[in-house]
Amino acid sequence: MKWQNRFGIGEERCLQKGKNLFASVMSAAISGMEVCPVNVEADVSDGLPCFTMVGFPSTQVKEAQDRVRTALRNNGISLPPKRVTVNLAPADLRKEGAGFDLPVAAAVLGASGFLEPKQLNGAMLMGEISLSGEVRSVSGVLPRVIRARELGCRYCMVPFGNLEEARLVRDMKVIGVRNITEMVNFLADPDSFKQEQTGEEGRALEEQTQADFMEICGQESARRAAEIAVSGFHNILFIGPPGTGKTMLARRIPTIMPSLTFEESLELTKIYSVAGLLTPKRPLIRARPFRSPHHTSSAASIAGGGKIPGPGEVTLAHRGVLFLDEMPEFSRRGLEVLRQPLEDKQIQLSRASGTYVFPAGFILVAAMNPCPCGYYPDMNKCRCSPGEVSHYLHKLSQPLLERIDLCADVPPVDFSQISCVKPGESSAVIRERVERVRQIQSKRYEKEPICFNGELSGKQIQKYCVLTEHAFKMAQNAFELMDLSARSYHRILKVSRTIADMEGEEEIHSRHVAEALTYRAFDKKYK
């Protein structure tokens, strides 16, 4: 007796011999930030009934065979009692995650005769399947869809929950499916399939914040240092007693940074997609990231880690701010992993499985007290011994401090500043000045692989940091008297270049160098 399942697929078509015994569909694996195409091949042949997966799959991927078989059975599709072999090529690349469930199901259905294998040509599929046949969201959809466009795929099939994320890729047809039924209906007759809208498209997704620089009482020198840091993309350290506004200043720095361009938003969204931090309500990152890990965070969580490393805090802060509150309380190892990203704007992690490179172009904003009790050098309040102060300050190594361009004092505020009714400058006013300085740098470095003064190399410093005669003598005297290293000297010149740009000066004058030197007095005052 002939039968017909819920999809209208007859027994004769499903059990044809010699036809449709092989099918292949494209998917992708994520290795670090790199997207590697994976061909999911399925073969159905005579032999002892079994379901075998090969091609270096992880345990998560191997479990797809049970999920797929059960989900198909619960949706009215019983695979023929034959030998099913699924190969994930290339075989030398380890496959991780549950995102291969959907392409495995499609390839098996194509090889079994339930679907026309030609419908799978030029398609990239990704998604996790539950036992009921529901297609669940997965991480890393956006970079996979971008890779599919680069490879010239006809369309991408993604979980419905990832549809808005996938639609960020222009000029790429994207289909969102909720379950296996919708997948089969589309592949069986693409022209008749109608894509339901999510209702989220076009929503303004920029995160709103109530924080503003006008709320900060006094601290004009620290506010000035913060503006310099953002204008030239310099790292900054706030140091002062507790309760003076160090954290308050740091949390308002993103509000004076220029808005993200669409390309920067897409770059950040790729990172957060790989990290699994996107939500249906926030498919596109439009706000500058502000990452503030706790001081108990491990070195691996800051740099990125795992058997196959994923993005760490330095990568999640890309294009934004990485804030380390109470910096000396972080582990020495956790702080020292910052050296490479602070210098190279990327971090390279080596594992037995390979080398992974993650972007890490962030502004480091740190805050600390000058001693364990927080009141040094005010000896009327400080109760720490000289040894305790020295031990506390030496938790920060000199190589790390030399990578911080500005060290700003945040002294206690008096009552007149706290009770002042007149607000200070707003973040919007400061941001306008920052954007003008950024435009100057953008024009200056249009033929260089850099964008900001804080990224200047030694050779570029000689070219772009031109000092007047008086400024040169001041810098020479400071180098000798302050016993500066070459790196510290170059940091001073970079900051001087930014201060000059803020005043619209082509050359660096002595007043610019003098102000930059005031932000390098950490050693003389505290250590």
Side-chain angles (χ1 to χ4, degrees):
M1 179 178 180
K2 296 183 179 180
W3 55 270
Q4 199 172 51
N5 64 18
R6 62 189 294 183
F7 302 111
I9 303 174
E11 180 185 18
E12 290 183 355
R13 179 181 169 191
C14 297
L15 300 179
Q16 292 181 61
K17 294 184 178 181
K19 289 184 64 179
N20 298 342
L21 297 182
F22 173 82
S24 175
V25 66
M26 185 178 293
S27 188
I30 294 181
S31 179
M33 290 299 299
E34 183 181 359
V35 179
C36 306
V38 174
N39 283 322
V40 180
E41 304 168 341
D43 177 81
V44 178
S45 59
D46 296 331
L48 187 66
C50 65
F51 198 125
T52 305
M53 295 190 68
V54 296
F56 205 6
S58 66
T59 302
Q60 287 176 312
V61 178
K62 283 184 178 180
E63 291 171 349
Q65 58 188 356
D66 296 319
R67 288 194 295 268
V68 168
R69 184 186 290 275
T70 305
L72 292 176
R73 185 178 66 249
N74 291 335
N75 281 267
I77 302 177
S78 295
L79 296 178
K82 294 188 176 185
R83 180 182 181 87
V84 179
T85 304
V86 175
N87 178 44
L88 307 176
D92 61 343
L93 175 67
R94 185 166 179 80
K95 321 310 185 295
E96 297 279 351
F100 292 98
D101 291 9
L102 197 64
V104 167
V108 170
L109 289 175
S112 302
F114 288 90
L115 296 173
E116 290 290 341
K118 65 181 181 180
Q119 295 292 352
L120 302 177
N121 295 336
M124 179 177 284
L125 278 65
M126 65 209 75
E128 178 184 350
I129 297 177
S130 69
L131 298 184
S132 64
E134 176 189 358
V135 180
R136 294 173 174 167
S137 301
V138 294
S139 61
V141 167
L142 179 62
R144 286 182 170 108
V145 176
I146 293 175
R147 183 65 172 146
R149 182 182 63 180
E150 295 171 351
L151 294 172
C153 294
R154 293 187 296 124
Y155 65 88
C156 279
M157 184 175 289
V158 302
F160 193 80
N162 296 118
L163 183 57
E164 286 304 315
E165 175 188 345
R167 281 180 173 172
L168 296 175
V169 183
R170 299 168 181 172
D171 303 325
M172 186 68 200
K173 182 179 180 181
V174 180
I175 303 298
V177 294
R178 289 191 175 90
N179 48 55
I180 289 182
T181 302
E182 292 187 357
M183 179 193 75
V184 174
N185 288 340
F186 173 79
L187 294 175
D189 191 1
D191 296 332
S192 64
F193 184 82
K194 295 182 179 180
Q195 179 67 68
E196 186 176 337
Q197 298 296 321
T198 64
E200 300 288 340
E201 193 169 10
R203 176 182 292 184
L205 296 169
E206 185 169 2
E207 297 179 356
Q208 301 295 325
T209 176
Q210 301 299 322
D212 198 287
F213 260 81
M214 68 169 57
E215 301 168 346
I216 299 174
C217 302
Q219 305 298 3
E220 294 302 324
S221 61
R223 290 164 60 102
R224 166 76 173 177
E227 183 178 345
I228 295 172
V230 175
S231 298
F233 216 80
H234 303 289
N235 305 311
I236 184 170
L237 170 66
F238 293 115
I239 181 168
T244 55
K246 301 185 295 296
T247 302
M248 194 175 183
L249 279 162
R251 292 191 178 277
R252 280 152 182 76
I253 284 181
T255 66
I256 64 174
M257 299 179 75
S259 301
L260 290 169
T261 64
F262 179 77
E263 290 73 19
E264 289 175 330
S265 293
L266 204 61
E267 182 184 15
L268 279 174
T269 305
K270 286 173 59 178
I271 294 171
Y272 278 72
S273 177
V274 170
L277 297 178
L278 291 182
T279 64
K281 294 182 179 180
R282 193 181 67 162
L284 179 65
I285 305 295
R286 291 191 179 274
R288 296 275 178 184
F290 181 86
R291 303 294 300 183
S292 180
H294 193 259
H295 64 260
T296 58
S297 300
S298 66
S301 68
I302 295 174
K307 191 173 183 181
I308 294 184
E313 292 293 340
V314 296
T315 301
L316 296 175
H318 185 58
R319 303 289 184 186
V321 172
L322 176 65
F323 176 48
L324 302 184
D325 201 4
E326 302 298 339
M327 192 178 185
E329 301 299 333
F330 282 78
S331 68
R332 184 66 173 257
R333 186 182 177 194
L335 292 176
E336 294 306 312
V337 300
L338 296 173
R339 289 193 192 182
Q340 184 192 22
L342 288 177
E343 201 74 29
D344 302 334
K345 303 303 179 184
Q346 65 180 23
I347 187 165
Q348 182 174 301
L349 303 176
S350 298
R351 298 291 186 271
S353 57
T355 300
Y356 307 86
V357 179
F358 295 91
F362 58 88
I363 295 178
L364 175 65
V365 180
M368 63 175 289
N369 297 325
C371 69
C373 76
Y375 294 104
Y376 182 82
D378 185 356
M379 304 313 295
N380 293 323
K381 293 183 177 180
C382 182
R383 295 294 181 265
C384 301
S385 67
E388 289 174 329
V389 175
S390 177
H391 176 73
Y392 184 79
L393 295 177
H394 280 86
K395 288 183 178 180
L396 305 181
S397 68
Q398 191 63 30
L400 179 61
L401 286 174
E402 288 182 351
R403 287 169 168 81
I404 298 177
D405 302 359
L406 300 98
C407 177
D409 274 317
V410 188
V413 294
D414 54 36
F415 181 78
S416 61
Q417 292 174 319
I418 298 176
S419 59
C420 182
V421 179
K422 183 180 178 181
E425 278 189 316
S426 67
S427 295
V429 173
I430 301 174
R431 185 168 58 247
E432 289 181 1
R433 293 200 297 265
V434 170
E435 289 176 345
R436 286 197 295 269
V437 179
R438 291 280 184 96
Q439 290 173 1
I440 293 173
Q441 296 172 73
S442 177
K443 184 177 180 179
R444 178 188 299 134
Y445 305 131
E446 59 184 357
K447 296 183 180 180
E448 300 283 354
I450 62 172
C451 300
F452 309 108
N453 294 328
E455 301 173 332
L456 287 168
S457 65
K459 185 177 181 179
Q460 291 166 338
I461 287 174
Q462 295 180 356
K463 181 178 179 181
Y464 296 108
C465 296
V466 180
L467 283 73
T468 63
E469 183 178 355
H470 191 197
F472 179 79
K473 291 181 179 179
M474 178 180 288
Q476 183 180 18
N477 292 334
F479 182 84
E480 296 172 353
L481 294 174
M482 298 177 67
D483 193 23
L484 298 174
S485 67
R487 181 186 284 117
S488 296
Y489 175 67
H490 284 163
R491 297 279 175 177
I492 291 172
L493 294 182
K494 293 178 187 179
V495 175
S496 301
R497 177 71 271 171
T498 300
I499 297 172
D501 289 341
M502 294 172 70
E503 295 184 4
E505 297 284 354
E506 287 293 332
E507 289 187 315
I508 299 174
H509 295 270
S510 57
R511 65 181 181 275
H512 306 143
V513 177
E515 184 176 0
L517 286 170
T518 63
Y519 301 120
R520 299 298 302 185
F522 177 85
D523 290 349
K524 299 300 180 184
K525 182 174 181 179
Y526 296 104
K527 298 184 77 171

